[in-house]
């Protein structure tokens, strides 16, 4: 009677552990998807904000003489829009910091580095818009496959490498 009871208990314990692992993986995958969705939504809002400033550059007035890196005021975000940008970036960074366990450390570092580029005041709106495009194309943390991407200069059928 005792060996049969031990066998049944062992099977039940093993089954419990397997079910627990399956639930944990499903929960982690589900959590990752919801976090990725929130991050993509914030990046979409950032992209929409920056698109308002993305106008064809006028003649040669976009960059100051001698190419010293300063951009014209028309390409700089207003104070209000910079505030919105900072708040959106803060939302993404808060989400990332609360869910560090869901993503690879190196992916997280690269993603945060790209977000910090968006905070940089010396970049024009167009440069920040290109940074958003790079994030969409290169960051696995967003959970986008390359076949689903259709953004920017590469979206017109040009070959991706």
């Amino acid at each position: 009677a005792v060996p049969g009871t031990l066998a049944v208990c062992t099977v039940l314990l093993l089954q419990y552990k397997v079910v627990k692992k399956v639930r944990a993986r499903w929960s982690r995958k589900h959590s990752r998807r919801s976090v990725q969705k929130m991050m993509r939504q914030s990046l979409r809002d950032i992209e929409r904000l920056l698109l308002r400033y993305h106008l064809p550059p006028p003649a040669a007035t976009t960059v100051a003489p001698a190419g010293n890196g300063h951009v014209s005021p028309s390409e700089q975000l207003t104070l209000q829009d910079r505030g919105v940008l900072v708040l959106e970036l803060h939302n993404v960074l808060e989400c990332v910091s609360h869910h560090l366990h869901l993503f690879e450390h190196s992916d997280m570092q690269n993603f945060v580095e790209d977000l910090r580029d968006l905070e940089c005041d010396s970049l024009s709106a167009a440069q920040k818009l290109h940074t958003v495009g790079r994030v969409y194309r290169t960051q696995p943390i967003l959970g986008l496959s390359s076949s689903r991407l259709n953004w920017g200069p590469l979206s017109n059928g040009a070959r991706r490498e």
Side-chain angles (χ1 to χ4, degrees):
V2 174
T5 305
L6 281 175
V8 170
C9 287
T10 304
V11 168
L12 288 175
L13 182 62
L14 185 61
Q15 184 179 12
Y16 171 75
K17 286 187 175 188
V18 168
V19 168
K20 191 174 177 180
K21 278 189 177 184
V22 168
R23 282 185 181 167
R25 283 190 181 192
W26 182 84
S27 175
R28 181 176 174 175
K29 192 174 185 179
H30 183 70
S31 296
R32 181 182 294 198
R33 284 184 187 151
S34 61
V35 170
Q36 289 169 330
K37 183 176 180 179
M38 193 286 306
M39 289 189 297
R40 288 192 303 265
Q41 181 62 44
S42 287
L43 283 171
R44 179 183 180 274
D45 293 342
I46 290 169
E47 185 178 22
R48 290 187 65 184
L49 173 76
L50 295 172
L51 280 171
R52 290 191 285 177
Y53 292 87
H54 189 64
L55 302 171
T61 60
T62 305
V63 177
N68 61 5
H70 297 290
V71 294
S72 69
S74 65
E75 286 195 21
Q76 290 288 5
L77 276 68
T78 64
L79 188 58
Q80 180 181 358
D81 286 341
R82 277 189 282 175
V84 171
L85 177 66
V86 168
L87 287 174
E88 287 294 340
L89 290 170
H90 176 74
N91 287 340
V92 175
L93 288 170
E94 279 293 304
C95 183
V96 165
S97 68
H98 284 83
H99 298 91
L100 292 173
H101 63 283
L102 295 175
F103 305 103
E104 295 290 327
H105 180 70
S106 60
D107 293 341
M108 190 71 69
Q109 281 182 313
N110 292 336
F111 184 67
V112 170
E113 183 180 339
D114 285 341
L115 294 181
R116 295 290 180 216
D117 288 347
L118 292 172
E119 289 179 333
C120 183
D121 284 336
S122 65
L123 295 180
S124 70
Q127 290 169 317
K128 289 179 182 184
L129 190 59
H130 283 287
T131 301
V132 170
R134 181 180 69 224
V135 170
Y136 278 124
R137 285 190 320 273
T138 64
Q139 294 298 333
I141 198 170
L142 294 175
L144 297 172
S145 65
S146 59
S147 62
R148 289 176 54 194
L149 296 178
N150 190 18
W151 188 92
L154 298 178
S155 66
N156 63 2
R159 185 174 162 212
R160 291 193 174 123
E161 298 183 56

